[in-house]
Amino acid sequence: MYDYDLLTIGAGSGGVAGSRRAAEYGARVAIVEAGRVGGTCVLRGCVPKKLLVYGARFRDEIEDARGFGWTIDGARHDWGRLIETKNRELVRLEGIYEQMLANSGVTVLRGRGRVTGPHEVEVDGRTVTAENILIATGSHPYLPKIPGIEHVITSDEALDLPALPGRIVIIGGGYIATEFASILSTLGAATTLVLRSEQILRGFDGDVREAVAGEMAARGIDFRRHVEPVRIDRLAEGFAVTLTSGEVLETDLVMFATGRVPNTAALGLDAIGIHTRDNGAIVVNDRFETHIRSIHAVGDVTDRFQLTPVAIAEARSLAERLYNDNGYKLRYDTLPTAVFCTPQIGTVGLTEEAARRMYASIRIFRARFRPMKHTLTGRETRILMKLVVDAASDRVLGAHMVGDDAAEIIQSLAVAITCGATKKQFDETIALHPSAAEEFVTMRAPATD
Ligand code: NDP
């Protein structure tokens, strides 16, 4: 009756994962994509960003090596070569994604999709029908409408800069701003971070925010707080950013990292009456259905958690429900996340602030210490580890870390916390020595402050 069982719009992380899972169960699936296969994560986000993070990290490693007897003369960084090798890897990954779709029997329809009915999508003028439609079109950087905004770059361009700027002003204090400030400043760009509020990384644990901001400042990143840009002007060389305080920052490059908005403008959703929020986000229920039940949406386009693994988990759970009779609810309360700034952040579960709002009594366990490696390098950096515990049930509600390998360590702790582990069970776990992570099972006394 329909051309396909499932028609997905958008070949990013969510779209590809859901389409492949549906096809595994025998569904006839097509995926509509106008650009490259892979989406934000693979082409303009997580993957290229992490490769640049690795690239930048060698600067610290080279400096730290001295403490262990190494002499490394003449170390220089070539930004162009890093971008070139990064781009080669992205082409490889794109090929793998295309191959995975082909191997799963998912048809790729090249073009832009516009939803024209409950079971109908127009792809570049041609009508394609499907029993179910999945919208997984992701998001793009948000730019406020201020004079001179056409001069600025976003993370899209920052990942492909032809050269490392001498000076950069980054607007925003979220994931992207802190990550790029860390990458670019470590590689040698004089970096200024402009915050409209007091502190970076709203929504993260207060101790984590303070620890990271302190270390970023100590690494040479210049902060401006409680200010917003009002205009950007092009100069003979570089740009001038005028702030609400009246201060004018002269710089070679201005980057905005002020959040991301859903890609729904060209989907024709208004015409068929699909509800969206003010910023274009598609409204879905906990089964990822829009109010037209054959049309679903997952990931960034719903603007709930703009994280790749969430989009993937949502899309797979939808495919499981539709094509494997396996309905289950996703757990977002123990969602781990990392910020690949320097130092790195890993976090899972509740922050202290959120736990205080939700529980009558909580206990906080906190450790702040110098990593063993830096006893020889002399580098002034401290690891922060923190557990948030419900005093009544002894359940660990949240774990937070700032320091090397935080993402790797927190991913493992997320399993324990998802299983409902208690502080007593953390205490019963024997430490792995010598490691930084052992501190998570050896913190005995609750913080008294
Ligand atoms: P975030 O929502 O993380 O941060 C946005 C920042 O911009 C905040 O500091 C906010 O300030 C500030 N801001 C918003 N509007 C304005 C404005 N008009 N003027 C000045 N400042 C403004 O967004 P990002 O763009 O950093 O990242 C988008 C999303 O992508 C993230 O939320 C995250 O989910 C995802 N992501 C995840 C990564 C990871 O998992 N490691 C890496 C990169 C992105 P305030 O705090 O005051 O509101």
Side-chain angles (χ1 to χ4, degrees):
M1 191 176 158
Y2 298 110
D3 297 332
Y4 296 98
D5 297 319
L6 177 68
L7 184 64
T8 302
I9 309 178
S13 300
V16 168
S19 300
R20 291 184 64 219
R21 183 62 61 92
E24 248 177 58
Y25 293 123
R28 295 170 309 134
V29 186
I31 193 163
V32 183
E33 175 59 59
R36 295 168 69 185
V37 168
T40 299
C41 172
V42 175
L43 301 168
R44 290 176 298 278
C46 326
V47 172
K49 178 275 310 286
K50 185 96 186 262
L51 294 176
L52 298 194
V53 169
Y54 283 128
R57 211 181 268 172
F58 284 101
R59 174 178 222 114
D60 287 7
E61 293 291 331
I62 290 166
E63 280 173 19
D64 292 344
R66 270 193 220 118
F68 293 88
W70 290 92
T71 302
I72 301 175
D73 290 328
R76 275 178 303 114
H77 185 254
D78 182 339
W79 172 266
R81 250 176 46 218
L82 172 59
I83 296 299
E84 194 186 305
T85 46
K86 180 265 293 175
N87 285 343
R88 260 209 308 276
E89 172 58 6
L90 299 195
V91 169
R92 189 184 75 87
L93 289 176
E94 188 186 353
I96 288 177
Y97 265 69
E98 282 172 355
Q99 196 57 52
M100 286 189 318
L101 285 171
N103 292 348
S104 307
V106 175
T107 306
V108 179
L109 302 176
R110 291 287 175 181
R112 272 196 188 283
R114 202 165 59 87
V115 189
T116 46
H119 301 281
E120 235 179 62
V121 174
E122 204 181 277
V123 184
D124 283 357
R126 169 183 153 218
T127 297
V128 185
T129 61
E131 185 181 15
N132 286 294
I133 294 169
L134 169 59
I135 303 173
T137 47
S139 62
H140 65 276
Y142 161 77
L143 289 175
K145 289 185 178 55
I146 59 169
I149 196 71
E150 67 278 8
H151 299 312
V152 314
I153 63 161
T154 67
S155 52
D156 288 354
E157 295 79 25
L159 288 162
D160 264 324
L161 290 176
L164 184 73
R167 300 165 299 172
I168 186 165
V169 170
I170 302 179
I171 317 294
Y175 281 81
I176 295 179
T178 53
E179 290 182 339
F180 276 90
S182 299
I183 294 166
L184 298 172
S185 67
T186 303
L187 288 175
T191 305
T192 305
L193 206 54
V194 175
L195 310 181
R196 67 177 175 185
S197 49
E198 169 62 25
Q199 193 53 288
I200 56 170
L201 293 167
R202 186 159 48 88
F204 282 76
D205 187 273
D207 284 332
V208 167
R209 301 171 74 191
E210 204 183 306
V212 173
E215 296 231 10
M216 285 176 73
R219 291 174 64 87
I221 295 171
D222 214 359
F223 282 83
R224 295 291 184 282
R225 299 171 194 269
H226 299 293
V227 282
E228 283 182 52
V230 288
R231 60 177 301 118
I232 292 118
D233 293 288
R234 186 189 268 286
L235 305 175
E237 269 183 43
F239 301 94
V241 184
T242 307
L243 303 178
T244 40
S245 58
E247 186 183 6
V248 178
L249 301 170
E250 286 193 15
T251 181
D252 299 318
L253 208 54
V254 186
M255 173 176 170
F256 270 63
T258 44
R260 297 179 62 88
V261 282
N263 290 330
T264 47
L267 286 175
L269 302 183
D270 282 352
I272 59 164
I274 286 188
H275 294 175
T276 53
R277 301 209 302 270
D278 286 349
N279 68 351
I282 299 176
V283 179
V284 288
N285 61 18
D286 61 3
R287 292 154 54 95
F288 312 111
E289 293 165 337
T290 66
H291 83 289
I292 298 179
R293 285 186 55 187
S294 57
I295 303 180
H296 312 79
V298 297
D300 280 16
V301 79
T302 64
D303 193 24
R304 301 191 296 181
F305 301 92
Q306 294 178 327
L307 297 167
T308 299
V310 172
I312 292 173
E314 291 180 345
R316 284 189 179 147
S317 89
L318 175 67
E320 289 284 340
R321 180 172 64 75
L322 293 178
Y323 302 109
N324 190 32
D325 198 20
N326 175 20
Y328 58 91
K329 286 228 162 60
L330 290 183
R331 276 189 71 169
Y332 297 97
D333 61 330
T334 58
L335 174 65
T337 179
V339 188
F340 294 97
C341 50
T342 307
Q344 197 178 104
I345 301 171
T347 176
V348 57
L350 294 183
T351 63
E352 176 177 345
E353 294 77 15
R356 285 199 190 285
R357 286 194 299 272
M358 294 166 65
Y359 289 81
S361 175
I362 63 164
R363 288 183 296 149
I364 298 296
F365 296 83
R366 197 192 291 118
R368 192 109 170 88
F369 58 97
R370 188 180 212 180
M372 188 198 234
K373 176 179 168 187
H374 295 304
T375 54
L376 296 200
T377 67
R379 183 180 290 282
E380 276 306 323
T381 181
R382 295 274 182 279
I383 288 180
L384 168 70
M385 286 177 178
K386 181 168 174 177
L387 291 176
V388 180
V389 177
D390 172 26
S393 66
D394 196 42
R395 208 156 55 81
V396 179
L397 304 171
H400 309 275
M401 175 171 172
V402 175
D404 283 354
D405 304 320
E408 311 293 339
I409 292 168
I410 289 293
Q411 173 68 87
S412 309
L413 281 190
V415 178
I417 293 178
T418 302
C419 292
T422 59
K423 179 64 170 67
K424 182 166 176 287
Q425 289 169 323
F426 270 60
D427 296 341
E428 283 167 1
T429 305
I430 294 176
L432 189 157
H433 185 74
S435 68
E438 66 180 310
E439 200 68 22
F440 270 120
V441 297
T442 57
M443 290 190 274
R444 252 177 75 78
T448 51
D449 53 337

